[in-house]
Amino acid sequence: MLYTAVYVSSAVGTWGTDELSDLLAQSRAKNTALGVTGVLLHREGTFMQVLEGEEDVVRPLYSRIAHDPRHADVVNVWGSLSPDRRFGDWSMGFRDLDAHPVDLPGYTEVLDAPPNVELLRRRLAAADFLSRFAPVA
């Protein structure tokens, strides 16, 4: 059984293209080594990330991320067991929603700053939003 962790956080400082590219490169290398897949979304200094993999790998990884000084206000949206990966082809998919806006009625406020945590905690709403970024087979 795989474990999925989803969180949102607020960036500390300004995150430009270079910083986001560096973060993505580091995440992809680390996740590949750990067997973790997922997606990272960024919008106006707010991050939302899905991590999926073996539970004994994802839980400690999430804990390290939650204590990373590059972001604050880390909120665990949900964690769950699943037989399948949603982002199995991505060591870490990425979408900068500032550069490539998404117009999804009812979901555009999900990554407002500060994040709409109550909306995100409604698991189905968050899962539906995130599934829109999954690679198409």
Side-chain angles (χ1 to χ4, degrees), residues 23-24 27-29 31-32 36-41 48-52 61 87 89-95:
L23 175 66
L24 185 57
S27 296
R28 285 181 173 161
N31 289 353
T32 297
V36 172
T37 56
V39 65
L40 176 67
L41 305 178
M48 181 178 203
Q49 185 169 23
V50 177
L51 301 167
E52 54 189 13
L61 176 60
F87 302 96
D89 294 335
W90 289 350
S91 60
M92 185 50 54
F94 176 73
R95 182 88 180 250

Short mmCIF file of all heavy atoms in Angstrom, two decimals, residues 23-24 27-29 31-32 36-41 48-52 61 87 89-95:
data_model
loop_
_atom_site.label_atom_id
_atom_site.label_comp_id
_atom_site.label_asym_id
_atom_site.label_seq_id
_atom_site.Cartn_x
_atom_site.Cartn_y
_atom_site.Cartn_z
N LEU A 23 14.87 24.26 -6.69
CA LEU A 23 14.06 23.42 -5.81
C LEU A 23 13.57 22.19 -6.55
O LEU A 23 13.62 21.07 -6.03
CB LEU A 23 12.88 24.22 -5.25
CG LEU A 23 11.89 23.42 -4.40
CD1 LEU A 23 12.56 22.93 -3.11
CD2 LEU A 23 10.67 24.26 -4.09
N LEU A 24 13.11 22.38 -7.76
CA LEU A 24 12.59 21.27 -8.55
C LEU A 24 13.69 20.25 -8.86
O LEU A 24 13.48 19.04 -8.73
CB LEU A 24 11.96 21.79 -9.84
CG LEU A 24 11.26 20.77 -10.71
CD1 LEU A 24 10.16 20.04 -9.95
CD2 LEU A 24 10.69 21.45 -11.95
N SER A 27 14.44 18.35 -5.66
CA SER A 27 13.33 17.46 -5.32
C SER A 27 13.29 16.24 -6.22
O SER A 27 13.07 15.12 -5.75
CB SER A 27 11.99 18.20 -5.44
OG SER A 27 11.93 19.25 -4.51
N ARG A 28 13.50 16.44 -7.51
CA ARG A 28 13.46 15.32 -8.44
C ARG A 28 14.57 14.31 -8.15
O ARG A 28 14.33 13.10 -8.16
CB ARG A 28 13.55 15.81 -9.88
CG ARG A 28 12.26 16.42 -10.35
CD ARG A 28 12.33 16.90 -11.77
NE ARG A 28 11.01 17.31 -12.22
CZ ARG A 28 10.80 18.09 -13.27
NH1 ARG A 28 11.80 18.53 -14.00
NH2 ARG A 28 9.57 18.42 -13.61
N ALA A 29 15.77 14.80 -7.86
CA ALA A 29 16.89 13.89 -7.57
C ALA A 29 16.62 13.10 -6.29
O ALA A 29 16.78 11.88 -6.25
CB ALA A 29 18.19 14.68 -7.45
N ASN A 31 13.69 12.58 -4.75
CA ASN A 31 12.51 11.72 -4.88
C ASN A 31 12.80 10.47 -5.70
O ASN A 31 12.30 9.39 -5.39
CB ASN A 31 11.34 12.49 -5.47
CG ASN A 31 10.78 13.51 -4.50
OD1 ASN A 31 11.17 13.57 -3.34
ND2 ASN A 31 9.89 14.34 -4.99
N THR A 32 13.59 10.62 -6.75
CA THR A 32 13.96 9.45 -7.56
C THR A 32 14.71 8.43 -6.70
O THR A 32 14.41 7.24 -6.75
CB THR A 32 14.81 9.88 -8.77
OG1 THR A 32 14.02 10.74 -9.60
CG2 THR A 32 15.27 8.68 -9.58
N VAL A 36 9.85 8.21 -4.52
CA VAL A 36 8.70 9.08 -4.24
C VAL A 36 8.29 9.78 -5.53
O VAL A 36 9.14 10.20 -6.32
CB VAL A 36 9.06 10.12 -3.16
CG1 VAL A 36 7.96 11.16 -2.99
CG2 VAL A 36 9.34 9.42 -1.83
N THR A 37 6.99 9.90 -5.75
CA THR A 37 6.45 10.64 -6.88
C THR A 37 5.51 11.70 -6.36
O THR A 37 5.15 11.71 -5.18
CB THR A 37 5.72 9.70 -7.87
OG1 THR A 37 4.70 8.99 -7.16
CG2 THR A 37 6.68 8.72 -8.52
N GLY A 38 5.08 12.60 -7.25
CA GLY A 38 4.15 13.63 -6.82
C GLY A 38 4.14 14.82 -7.74
O GLY A 38 4.64 14.78 -8.86
N VAL A 39 3.59 15.91 -7.21
CA VAL A 39 3.50 17.15 -7.97
C VAL A 39 3.64 18.32 -6.99
O VAL A 39 3.23 18.22 -5.82
CB VAL A 39 2.17 17.24 -8.75
CG1 VAL A 39 0.97 17.30 -7.83
CG2 VAL A 39 2.17 18.41 -9.73
N LEU A 40 4.22 19.39 -7.48
CA LEU A 40 4.39 20.62 -6.70
C LEU A 40 3.75 21.75 -7.49
O LEU A 40 4.07 21.96 -8.66
CB LEU A 40 5.88 20.90 -6.47
CG LEU A 40 6.23 22.21 -5.76
CD1 LEU A 40 5.75 22.17 -4.31
CD2 LEU A 40 7.74 22.44 -5.80
N LEU A 41 2.84 22.46 -6.84
CA LEU A 41 2.20 23.63 -7.45
C LEU A 41 2.68 24.87 -6.71
O LEU A 41 2.89 24.84 -5.49
CB LEU A 41 0.68 23.54 -7.34
CG LEU A 41 0.02 22.29 -7.91
CD1 LEU A 41 -1.49 22.35 -7.68
CD2 LEU A 41 0.33 22.14 -9.39
N MET A 48 1.71 23.97 -2.89
CA MET A 48 0.90 22.80 -2.58
C MET A 48 1.65 21.62 -3.17
O MET A 48 2.07 21.67 -4.33
CB MET A 48 -0.49 22.90 -3.21
CG MET A 48 -1.38 21.73 -2.91
SD MET A 48 -3.01 21.99 -3.65
CE MET A 48 -3.99 20.93 -2.63
N GLN A 49 1.86 20.59 -2.36
CA GLN A 49 2.63 19.45 -2.83
C GLN A 49 1.94 18.15 -2.46
O GLN A 49 1.38 18.02 -1.37
CB GLN A 49 4.03 19.47 -2.25
CG GLN A 49 4.91 18.37 -2.81
CD GLN A 49 6.36 18.53 -2.45
OE1 GLN A 49 6.72 19.17 -1.48
NE2 GLN A 49 7.23 17.92 -3.24
N VAL A 50 2.03 17.21 -3.40
CA VAL A 50 1.60 15.83 -3.17
C VAL A 50 2.86 14.98 -3.17
O VAL A 50 3.68 15.09 -4.09
CB VAL A 50 0.67 15.33 -4.30
CG1 VAL A 50 0.29 13.87 -4.08
CG2 VAL A 50 -0.56 16.20 -4.42
N LEU A 51 3.00 14.16 -2.15
CA LEU A 51 4.09 13.18 -2.06
C LEU A 51 3.45 11.81 -1.98
O LEU A 51 2.53 11.61 -1.17
CB LEU A 51 4.93 13.42 -0.81
CG LEU A 51 5.60 14.78 -0.69
CD1 LEU A 51 6.12 14.98 0.73
CD2 LEU A 51 6.73 14.90 -1.70
N GLU A 52 3.92 10.87 -2.77
CA GLU A 52 3.37 9.51 -2.71
C GLU A 52 4.49 8.49 -2.83
O GLU A 52 5.43 8.66 -3.59
CB GLU A 52 2.30 9.29 -3.78
CG GLU A 52 2.74 9.60 -5.18
CD GLU A 52 1.63 9.59 -6.21
OE1 GLU A 52 0.44 9.58 -5.86
OE2 GLU A 52 1.97 9.58 -7.40
N LEU A 61 9.90 12.09 5.14
CA LEU A 61 10.17 13.14 4.16
C LEU A 61 9.27 14.34 4.42
O LEU A 61 9.73 15.49 4.43
CB LEU A 61 9.96 12.59 2.74
CG LEU A 61 10.11 13.60 1.61
CD1 LEU A 61 11.50 14.21 1.60
CD2 LEU A 61 9.80 12.93 0.27
N PHE A 87 0.56 10.09 -9.60
CA PHE A 87 1.61 10.79 -10.32
C PHE A 87 2.82 9.87 -10.54
O PHE A 87 3.96 10.27 -10.38
CB PHE A 87 2.03 12.05 -9.54
CG PHE A 87 0.88 12.98 -9.30
CD1 PHE A 87 0.17 12.95 -8.11
CD2 PHE A 87 0.49 13.88 -10.27
CE1 PHE A 87 -0.90 13.80 -7.89
CE2 PHE A 87 -0.59 14.73 -10.07
CZ PHE A 87 -1.28 14.69 -8.88
N ASP A 89 4.39 8.73 -13.01
CA ASP A 89 5.39 9.05 -14.03
C ASP A 89 6.26 10.25 -13.66
O ASP A 89 7.16 10.61 -14.40
CB ASP A 89 4.72 9.34 -15.37
CG ASP A 89 4.04 8.11 -15.94
OD1 ASP A 89 4.46 6.99 -15.60
OD2 ASP A 89 3.10 8.27 -16.73
N TRP A 90 5.98 10.87 -12.52
CA TRP A 90 6.68 12.10 -12.15
C TRP A 90 7.44 11.94 -10.84
O TRP A 90 6.83 11.73 -9.79
CB TRP A 90 5.70 13.24 -11.96
CG TRP A 90 5.07 13.75 -13.21
CD1 TRP A 90 5.40 13.45 -14.50
CD2 TRP A 90 3.98 14.67 -13.29
NE1 TRP A 90 4.60 14.13 -15.37
CE2 TRP A 90 3.71 14.88 -14.66
CE3 TRP A 90 3.21 15.33 -12.35
CZ2 TRP A 90 2.71 15.74 -15.10
CZ3 TRP A 90 2.21 16.18 -12.79
CH2 TRP A 90 1.97 16.38 -14.15
N SER A 91 8.78 12.08 -10.88
CA SER A 91 9.52 12.14 -9.62
C SER A 91 9.12 13.40 -8.87
O SER A 91 9.10 13.43 -7.65
CB SER A 91 11.02 12.11 -9.87
OG SER A 91 11.41 13.21 -10.68
N MET A 92 8.77 14.43 -9.62
CA MET A 92 8.13 15.62 -9.06
C MET A 92 7.66 16.47 -10.22
O MET A 92 8.44 17.19 -10.84
CB MET A 92 9.09 16.42 -8.17
CG MET A 92 8.43 17.61 -7.47
SD MET A 92 6.88 17.25 -6.58
CE MET A 92 7.34 15.91 -5.51
N GLY A 93 6.37 16.35 -10.52
CA GLY A 93 5.79 17.24 -11.52
C GLY A 93 5.74 18.64 -10.95
O GLY A 93 5.78 18.83 -9.73
N PHE A 94 5.68 19.63 -11.79
CA PHE A 94 5.69 21.02 -11.31
C PHE A 94 4.84 21.88 -12.21
O PHE A 94 4.83 21.72 -13.43
CB PHE A 94 7.12 21.57 -11.29
CG PHE A 94 7.18 23.02 -10.89
CD1 PHE A 94 6.96 23.38 -9.57
CD2 PHE A 94 7.43 23.99 -11.83
CE1 PHE A 94 7.00 24.72 -9.21
CE2 PHE A 94 7.47 25.33 -11.48
CZ PHE A 94 7.26 25.69 -10.16
N ARG A 95 4.15 22.81 -11.58
CA ARG A 95 3.39 23.81 -12.33
C ARG A 95 3.44 25.11 -11.57
O ARG A 95 3.09 25.17 -10.40
CB ARG A 95 1.93 23.34 -12.48
CG ARG A 95 1.04 24.27 -13.27
CD ARG A 95 1.11 23.95 -14.77
NE ARG A 95 0.27 24.82 -15.54
CZ ARG A 95 -0.84 24.44 -16.15
NH1 ARG A 95 -1.25 23.22 -16.09
NH2 ARG A 95 -1.52 25.30 -16.86
#
